[in-house]
Every structure is written in structure tokens, then in C-alpha cells.
Amino acid sequence: QSAPVRLYHLAPPATSTSAASAADPACPGRRPYHTLLTSQATTYQAWQSRIMYYHFVKQRKLAGPCGDMGGFTRLVASEGGKPDGLEAEMPSFFVRQYTTAEIARYGHFGVLNRPFSVVQFADRGGFEALQEQFVYIAETDHVLMRPLPNLATPDKAAAFSFGYMHCGSSHQPLLDKFAPGVTYSDVQPVGPSPLVVSKPVLRRLAPLWLNLSLALKLDPVADRRFGWVLEMWGYSIAAASLGVKHRLVRNFQVEYGASAGRIPPEFPTLSYIFHYTYGIEYTLQGRPQGVMQIGEWSLDKRHYFGALPPKQLAPPPHCALECAWVLLARSTRPRTSSEVIIDPQRVRSGGAPSTRPRSSSARRTAAALAAALPTGAAAAAAAAA
């Protein structure tokens, strides 16, 4: 099967709008990476980007001058590559998104704009404009909980091991069709984010990641098999095809929901990222609401596709798992990326009085987070520092 025609237009080189931090001679062994936040110019991803960038700035400050966290660029796919207004708040690089007619050919699968944007970034000289030799590909719904070191090497990327991305013998017919010579045991359970990778490896991967994702989407069998994570499979198969290996980092991120079972109260210190891809749904009595049900208390990004979340959300039921309290504290909507709107007293107290006691570990976690989170002018100063 021939590769699908690439749908993007080459553009002349452009300088990245992000400022990279050069290696400090006082920090031998420092291996800085550049954070590349892939995004689209939508209300839904704009408010997530603000939260993500706030915590990026906070954790980079905590890492200090010898930390590996370097520059930052929000890579935005927009209509015609036009700015979306957030470029005044955070360094941003705009590329065009697929037109309605183009993306219709692929079932309006908008996530294809992610590899499309990375390829355009490369073609326009984006990687050459970065001083760092490594890139961390982030998503808008990533909340950094602690400073992220460079987990990769020049020849080996670092990625999260996804439980739903394991390749088996039943995938082999699709591999034979789209990646001849690749066996299912070659394909690692990874996606393109979270990912730390060297620039040369990413440049080599990006075109095949894009073309495989497009080809898989056009194939009815592959489309049904890979579903909503098809573009992730495009990446993992492309990596296997090119012999790119990943260090599997299990504590790269957590993806907790209401039914996660026991969660260690200290989990923000054990993993680097809270990926709030799943809704956290509870009854008012503090029981998980159930599979595919919206809770009486609900914290789900999907409620806010076309509108901003409220500035202050009600606290979860007292017996909710720690993930609900942590996400509430860290995702309360910023007015801008440099200020988080949160009432520490409300988090400390857990809201209105209740006869149902909240767990002591949840109380400790919420109190620690509330004490650590800056508010108002303090938050703006912290983010600007």
C-alpha cells in the first residue's frame, strides 16, 4: 500500500518564539530539554494550556538553574496558522491545522493535527531554533507535580508504558500490511506523549508517525482495531519500524479516576505528571458513580469543550480519593497562566461541614497542597520569577 499524500505545505524557516536555556557551566552533567506542548486553537485546549504552563513554570523554578527543564514552546495547530491570543501569555509557535475538507477524509479525527504540527515545526526550522538537544512532548491535560529530569539518552527515548497499548500476535496482520518486517514484539506500549526524545530521533520519526497515522485511519480494519488511540499506534509502529527504542518509565505519569482503588497519599511526590484524561465521578456520599456515568460530583475536562471551567469548583465529597483533591487544587482555572484561582481555606476545610469524616491521608494531602499553592499576587510573582 502506497503512503498517503502529505497534506501540509512547506513554509520558509521561521525562528521559534521560545527562549532556550543554555547549559550552565556551573552545572556539569546537565542535559536540558525543551518542552513542546502540542495543542489546537480551541477554548477547550486553551484553558488546559494555561494550567499546564503555570505548573511548568512552577516546577522549573523548583528545579533550579541546574535542573534539566529548559525552554518552552506551545505548538499550536490553528486555522490557517493564525495566532489565537494566548501567545502573549506563553511562548507559542503556530502552524496550520487540517482544513475541514482535509480532515473529513479521515473521519474528522482531529488528533491527527498533532503529528501534522510536529512535521510542520520541523520543516520550518523549529528544531534548529532550539538550543536544547532533547524535546519533551507534552499534552495540554498534563499537570507537572514535581520537576521532570531528562529521562532520555541520545539514542534511547523515554516514554510512559500504557496498559492499553500492548501489541500482540493478533496485531501482526496489520503490521505486515503497514510496517513490513516489524513483528508485534518490536512494538513497545508507548505513545508520543509523555515522551522525552533527542531532536535527531524525533526529526526522523515525525514524518513516518504522521503518514502511518493517516494510512491507518483510512483502513477500516485498522480504524476499528485502534479506535481513539490510533494516532498513538501510528507513533509506536513508526518507532518500531525505525528501530527507535524507549526506556519505559512507569512513574512518568498517573491517570487516576474515582475507581482507582487505594491511592498513596504521597502520590504527587512519586510520579511526575497527573494526566487528567479520565473524569473523576462520585456520588454525594463519596462512592464512585459507576462506569460511563456522570457523577453527582464530577471533575471532567470534557464538560468544558466550549466554555471555561468555573473559577471555583465545589470540593469533592469527604471520602473521595486523594486524586480528586489533588486535581481540584491544581486545576482550578487560572485567569492567566501566571495566576491560579484557589481559596486555600476552602481546600483545607474540605468545604461545608459534614458528619462523614474525610480520610486523614486526604486531609494531609489537601492541606499540604493548599499551603504550597500561591494565590493572587504571590502566584503571579512565582510564575514570573
Side-chain angles (χ1 to χ4, degrees), residues 15 21 53 155 178 238 260 335 340 343 368 376:
T15 302
S21 302
Y53 184 60
D155 299 320
F178 293 100
R335 292 189 181 96
V340 167
D343 180 350

Side-chain angles (χ1 to χ4, degrees), residues 11-16 93 119-130 203:
T15 302
S16 171
F93 190 105
V119 168
Q120 291 181 84
F121 184 74
D123 287 339
R124 289 172 56 185
F127 289 123
E128 287 72 20
L130 306 181
R203 282 189 62 94

Side-chain angles (χ1 to χ4, degrees), residues 6 8 36 75 98 112 114-123 127 137 192 195 197-214 231 234-235 238-239 242 244:
R6 284 166 145 183
Y8 61 86
L36 196 65
L75 177 58
Y98 284 127
L112 292 172
R114 175 161 56 177
F116 183 36
S117 65
V118 174
V119 168
Q120 291 181 84
F121 184 74
D123 287 339
F127 289 123
I137 298 183
L195 171 75
V197 61
S198 69
K199 289 194 299 186
V201 170
L202 183 55
R203 282 189 62 94
R204 198 157 54 95
L205 263 172
L208 187 55
W209 167 24
L210 171 62
N211 282 335
L212 272 175
S213 298
L214 296 174
E231 173 261 352
Y235 172 85
L242 297 175
V244 175

